[in-house]
Amino acid sequence: EGPKYFYRNINWVGNYIYSNERLNNKLGIAKGDLFNQSELSFYLSEKINPLYMDDGYYHFRAIPNIVPVSEDSLDVNFLISEGELVKVRKIIISGNDKTYENVIRRELMVFPGDTFSRKKLLESYRDIFMLNFFNNVIPNVVPVDDKEIDIIFDVEEKESGQANFSMGYSGVSGFTGGGGFQFPNFLGRGQLLSVSYNRGLSNSYQLASNQSATVSQTFNIEFQEPWLFDTPNLVGGSFYYKETGQTIYSRLPFDQQMIGGSLIWGRKFKWPDPYFRGNWRLSISKKVIFICRKIKFIKSIIFWFWD
């Protein structure tokens, strides 16, 4: 097995962009630390490489030359090739059979003509994946020459729509049933469409007591466009209708009808970071209470809130 080795000196050769002190601090290995080959490789790939690649030095290379200097000490000399600044020539989207290309491109943090940045590439990958429209997103960097690269985002579409159906029974509403569907990527444009309907049938107890035979039912529909005209503005609206009838199990001796809706507007901001956004919603609702089906009481409520 041999003896354990410890770091003595760490040297950098060929670095002009960053100083030895900056690279040593970033590497995080001090004189006297126990040598670990896998740890050294990890620190090099996850700390030093991103330092250069985030600033556009895609062709950066650092090769460690390990030199034992005594029975338990060694020096590490990093031979560095910084390369030239690299710019992005093209960004290519492939594999999107359903989703429109602009839905993907508007999530990008890097653009043609920009200086290459590993950090922005990973942020773009994350934001595309977080759309939840794809099973997989694979970013590839294809070198063109010493000063230009192409970026390819290869996506794998997945079925993002959902449908649900339900059926049950309760003493208040009797038999209930309904269903709905939701499309978070409606028509491949990244829009949200959701529709649901549920209905409860009057039960025999309700009819035998000569009470109101009004059924309970609810209907909801919602639509959102997250990028209006490919700008970071969200617009949307919703509508709902709810009707409930009295039963022998209900403490409320009257029927109710509720109708309402809302309008929503939101926007993504660049400050304090690209993920900060504000949403404003205007909601209005009306409730009609039937005391004896001939006398009714109407109450309207308007809500305005920001989040």
Side-chain angles (χ1 to χ4, degrees):
E1 294 178 339
K4 289 185 177 181
Y5 278 82
F6 299 86
Y7 292 103
R8 191 186 72 164
N9 295 317
I10 296 178
N11 304 308
W12 305 86
V13 180
N15 54 306
Y16 301 99
I17 307 300
Y18 298 109
S19 65
N20 291 353
E21 182 181 2
R22 174 73 183 278
L23 294 175
N24 282 329
N25 290 337
K26 193 70 175 178
L27 185 65
I29 296 177
K31 183 177 181 179
D33 288 351
L34 179 67
F35 172 73
N36 185 307
Q37 179 67 62
S38 60
E39 186 180 76
L40 179 65
S41 300
F42 176 80
Y43 287 167
L44 184 60
S45 62
E46 296 300 322
K47 293 185 176 182
I48 303 301
N49 283 11
L51 182 65
Y52 277 89
M53 290 191 175
D54 287 348
D55 287 342
Y57 294 93
Y58 174 76
H59 298 291
F60 165 80
R61 297 291 183 270
I63 302 174
N65 181 25
I66 302 172
V67 182
V69 292
S70 65
E71 293 182 355
D72 63 351
S73 299
L74 51 81
D75 291 343
V76 180
N77 301 312
F78 288 101
L79 307 178
I80 291 179
S81 173
E82 294 175 329
E84 300 286 340
L85 273 177
V86 172
K87 291 188 176 294
V88 179
R89 189 186 69 160
K90 293 180 181 179
I91 297 179
I92 302 168
I93 310 295
S94 64
N96 53 316
D97 300 323
K98 175 186 175 183
T99 305
Y100 279 75
E101 189 169 305
N102 68 310
V103 174
I104 302 173
R105 286 190 178 274
R106 64 197 185 194
E107 301 296 329
L108 297 179
M109 295 290 184
V110 60
F111 306 97
D114 287 355
T115 299
F116 173 78
S117 170
R118 176 181 179 270
K119 179 182 178 181
K120 291 183 178 180
L121 176 64
L122 295 178
E123 288 176 347
S124 300
Y125 156 75
R126 179 195 59 196
D127 291 348
I128 295 173
F129 193 80
M130 289 298 292
L131 287 172
N132 204 27
F133 301 160
F134 310 105
N135 285 319
N136 199 9
V137 178
I138 302 175
N140 293 309
V141 177
V142 180
V144 177
D145 52 37
D146 291 342
K147 295 184 178 181
E148 287 187 321
I149 53 99
D150 290 344
I151 297 176
I152 302 175
F153 287 97
D154 190 11
V155 300
E156 180 185 342
E157 298 269 15
K158 76 174 183 179
E159 295 297 331
S160 55
Q162 298 178 353
N164 65 83
F165 299 94
S166 62
M167 192 171 185
Y169 177 83
S170 70
V172 176
S173 302
F175 286 101
T176 60
F181 58 85
Q182 184 181 71
F183 295 107
N185 188 18
F186 185 58
L187 299 179
R189 298 183 181 275
Q191 301 164 338
L192 170 68
L193 176 65
S194 176
V195 179
S196 66
Y197 177 76
N198 289 275
R199 184 181 181 92
L201 303 178
S202 302
N203 55 51
S204 58
Y205 297 102
Q206 191 176 8
L207 298 176
S209 63
N210 293 323
Q211 291 184 330
S212 169
T214 303
V215 297
S216 64
Q217 56 182 346
T218 59
F219 172 76
N220 293 275
I221 184 170
E222 182 180 4
F223 177 81
Q224 286 187 10
E225 166 56 73
W227 284 73
L228 183 65
F229 304 122
D230 281 331
T231 64
N233 295 296
L234 179 149
V235 295
S238 64
F239 171 83
Y240 72 89
Y241 173 82
K242 184 176 182 180
E243 180 180 312
T244 57
Q246 57 179 304
T247 72
I248 61 175
Y249 295 96
S250 176
R251 295 182 179 181
L252 302 177
F254 47 76
D255 299 337
Q256 297 182 85
Q257 286 183 352
M258 287 176 283
I259 187 171
S262 65
L263 296 174
I264 184 173
W265 178 75
R267 181 173 176 83
K268 294 180 69 175
F269 299 99
K270 296 181 179 180
W271 186 91
D273 58 59
Y275 302 101
F276 184 79
R277 70 175 305 136
N279 289 330
W280 292 263
R281 184 187 298 267
L282 175 65
S283 301
I284 183 170
S285 65
K286 181 175 74 171
K287 179 186 290 187
V288 181
I289 300 175
F290 294 91
I291 300 177
C292 61
R293 278 291 166 184
K294 291 185 179 180
I295 303 174
K296 64 182 180 180
F297 172 73
I298 302 175
K299 182 180 181 181
S300 296
I301 305 175
I302 297 178
F303 300 97
W304 167 265
F305 62 88
W306 174 84
D307 62 353

